[in-house]
Amino acid sequence: MKENTVYNKPSNTVMVRNNGDEILIICDKESQMDSVVKRMTTDTCKLVGYEEWDEGKDKKWILRFFVIDEGYLIEPELN
């Protein structure tokens, strides 16, 4: 992937954008999220957050992944 690039074509099911070590994936349907998380999550790529945007038929889900080096530990934020 090229840095700071949006990968979006009319035939794409989801929109993908990267920003350095961060990958953002925008899903049109809630049902897409499980499949995206399953495919993207590896030893060196972790889901670090998500947001819901808009309401009704225009609602989108933005998944944020972070690419890490082997041995790097991501710990959840606790309230």
Side-chain angles (χ1 to χ4, degrees):
M1 294 181 98
K2 296 178 184 175
E3 191 167 328
N4 298 321
T5 303
V6 175
Y7 295 90
N8 192 21
K9 296 182 179 161
S11 61
N12 289 0
T13 306
V14 297
M15 187 182 117
V16 178
R17 181 179 194 278
N18 78 321
N19 184 17
D21 291 336
E22 182 179 58
I23 300 171
L24 300 171
I25 299 179
I26 301 175
C27 300
D28 287 336
K29 301 175 189 154
E30 190 171 12
S31 61
Q32 294 172 317
M33 292 191 324
D34 286 339
S35 176
V36 169
V37 170
K38 192 176 194 176
R39 290 178 183 206
M40 290 296 298
T41 303
T42 66
D43 291 341
T44 58
C45 186
K46 302 291 182 188
L47 177 68
V48 292
Y50 83 98
E51 292 181 55
E52 292 182 11
W53 273 41
D54 224 335
E55 294 179 359
K57 66 179 183 174
D58 294 330
K59 192 170 191 175
K60 306 275 188 257
W61 291 265
I62 301 171
L63 304 175
R64 192 167 64 110
F65 294 87
F66 197 70
V67 179
I68 57 174
D69 293 327
E70 294 264 349
Y72 186 85
L73 181 62
I74 296 178
E75 294 185 13
E77 289 182 24
L78 303 175
N79 292 339

